[in-house]
Amino acid sequence: MEDIVESALEKSTSPCSEERACLVSTDAFLPPECAVVGCGSVGIDWLRHADAAHIDIALGGKPTLESMDDLPDTQIRVSKAAPDDRSSRIESHDFGQALDIPFDQLDIVAVVLRLDEPELAYLAASVCRSLEDDQTVFAVPAIPENGLSEASTVAFTALVDAAGTTVPYDLGRIRDSFADAFSDESQQEVLDTTGSVMIDWVEDVFEALRDPLTVPLNCADAHALLQDGGVSLLYRGWGCRDNLPDVLLQDAAAHRVCDGNRSSADGGFGFLRFGEPFTLREFEAVEQHAESVFRPEGVDSEQWLMSGQSSLALGDNCWLAFLLTGIDAKSLPFLQDRCAK
């Protein structure tokens, strides 16, 4: 652990400390302001998995908001679900009016939803479009197990176009990947697991871009990557010091949240959380193995990022979240048949 800390101290004088300023609107010494927008009843319900280190925003129609308990303090009410992109638009002024801080001080925004209706995707896309170019926004839609209808496919495409990065969670893939976590494999249990895994990853991204890390991140490169990540695939896995790095990467591949052709990826963003006993050599072994497994030829180093954070509670254990950006949307199984027509 000592050599990881020493390396981190050396890197703390690198340009990363200055680059972090690009994520902050008003004061380079303040951390980025982060927010999660729960869109629709399921997305709002998933906010209960979130911690208090960021702003939670509930977005939905009047019937949805009035029927739910334990809503976050910040709510954005829309008059009704809109069937198309044009009529779903939310003006940035209206979105900002609901917030307790100036709208332009939101630096990183994640929009989470279950895409069971096209209207919700258009609503989420409208939130993404309401943000400025220097604000980082990513959409995290859960895809129904039976795939998307033609109308929902069009709505998903609109969401991808509006968001900087879109990370789909295929509920069918979640059911398979996390089968050992289910007691009865009910639809509600799959949704609960999806929400928990989804919010965990969102908060990992917030932490990587906001907090001091044991293994620092090039913040400017990470910001640029997520601003233009397109469709992205997420891999999550657990391991321990006794079986690094192979078993960790195998577990991450087994617990992917969506299938797709990863050979088309144009970038990668990895975050490793590890226990105090870990050494820099062990971190580098994971980093190098992840590169050999996931990194396609021709991906620039500025587009391939890896950082890490130590945690006393993990001991000899660790877990990895790795995001592959720039995936060809036609390789997504829930869109494949629709795109082929």
Side-chain angles (χ1 to χ4, degrees):
M1 180 64 195
E2 183 178 352
D3 52 353
I4 295 184
V5 174
E6 289 175 353
S7 177
L9 289 173
E10 292 176 3
K11 293 182 179 180
S12 67
T13 59
S14 72
C16 182
S17 58
E18 297 177 5
E19 289 161 347
R20 182 179 289 270
C22 72
L23 291 173
V24 183
S25 333
T26 57
D27 189 333
F29 296 99
L30 294 176
E33 192 72 65
C34 304
V36 182
V37 179
C39 187
S41 60
V42 175
I44 294 170
D45 181 62
W46 285 337
L47 295 177
R48 61 187 166 86
H49 297 291
D51 64 22
H54 50 73
I55 300 169
D56 293 333
I57 302 169
L59 175 64
K62 180 178 179 180
T64 296
L65 296 177
E66 290 183 347
S67 66
M68 300 189 70
D69 298 323
D70 300 323
L71 289 171
D73 292 338
T74 304
Q75 302 167 26
I76 302 174
R77 180 175 298 181
V78 293
S79 58
K80 63 179 181 178
D84 56 59
D85 197 18
R86 178 171 298 179
S87 55
S88 293
R89 294 180 184 276
I90 296 176
E91 298 297 329
S92 60
H93 173 76
D94 297 331
F95 188 56
Q97 283 291 95
L99 304 178
D100 293 330
I101 67 169
F103 179 65
D104 60 3
Q105 287 186 26
L106 276 184
D107 301 291
I108 311 168
V109 179
V111 186
V112 301
L113 67 149
R114 179 188 179 189
L115 210 170
D116 49 356
E117 299 175 355
E119 292 86 344
L120 290 178
Y122 289 131
L123 199 56
S126 184
V127 172
C128 296
R129 279 195 302 267
S130 71
L131 298 167
E132 300 296 330
D133 291 342
D134 60 349
Q135 294 170 289
T136 298
V137 58
F138 49 97
V140 196
I143 307 300
E145 292 188 59
N146 59 352
L148 297 180
S149 66
E150 186 172 354
S152 292
T153 294
V154 175
F156 175 83
T157 302
L159 179 59
V160 171
D161 291 343
T165 296
T166 301
V167 186
Y169 279 57
D170 189 329
L171 293 178
R173 180 71 260 169
I174 296 288
R175 184 182 292 277
D176 292 339
S177 294
F178 295 86
D180 54 348
F182 301 138
S183 59
D184 57 15
E185 296 191 24
S186 66
Q187 178 66 24
Q188 186 57 50
E189 194 170 26
V190 173
L191 285 175
D192 287 343
T193 299
T194 301
S196 176
V197 172
M198 183 183 290
I199 296 298
D200 279 351
W201 175 75
V202 167
E203 292 180 339
D204 283 347
V205 175
F206 289 170
E207 182 175 357
L209 295 175
R210 179 190 61 208
D211 299 343
L213 300 178
T214 310
V215 181
L217 178 70
N218 187 314
C219 303
D221 287 346
H223 180 57
L225 183 68
L226 290 175
Q227 277 194 323
D228 193 26
V231 175
S232 302
L233 299 179
L234 178 64
Y235 298 79
R236 293 173 54 92
W238 285 83
C240 65
R241 298 180 73 196
D242 293 339
N243 54 32
L244 290 178
D246 301 58
V247 172
L248 175 63
L249 270 294
Q250 291 169 9
D251 196 63
H255 289 86
R256 60 196 183 277
V257 301
C258 185
D259 291 320
N261 180 10
R262 69 189 192 199
S263 66
S264 64
D266 62 10
F269 180 26
F271 184 78
L272 180 69
R273 195 178 296 277
F274 47 85
E276 286 289 317
F278 272 66
T279 66
L280 180 60
R281 180 172 298 180
E282 288 170 318
F283 175 87
E284 290 175 340
V286 173
E287 182 179 33
Q288 292 165 8
H289 195 55
E291 185 170 345
S292 67
V293 170
F294 290 134
R295 186 174 180 175
E297 292 184 11
V299 176
D300 295 336
S301 59
E302 292 82 4
Q303 295 287 108
W304 197 260
L305 310 174
M306 184 85 177
S307 63
Q309 185 75 302
S310 64
S311 172
L312 284 172
L314 285 177
D316 285 337
N317 299 313
C318 64
W319 55 267
L320 173 71
F322 208 97
L323 187 71
L324 294 177
T325 63
I327 301 299
D328 183 358
K330 292 183 179 180
S331 72
L332 299 175
F334 56 86
L335 290 179
Q336 217 163 34
D337 292 340
R338 308 290 176 182
C339 291
K341 292 182 179 180

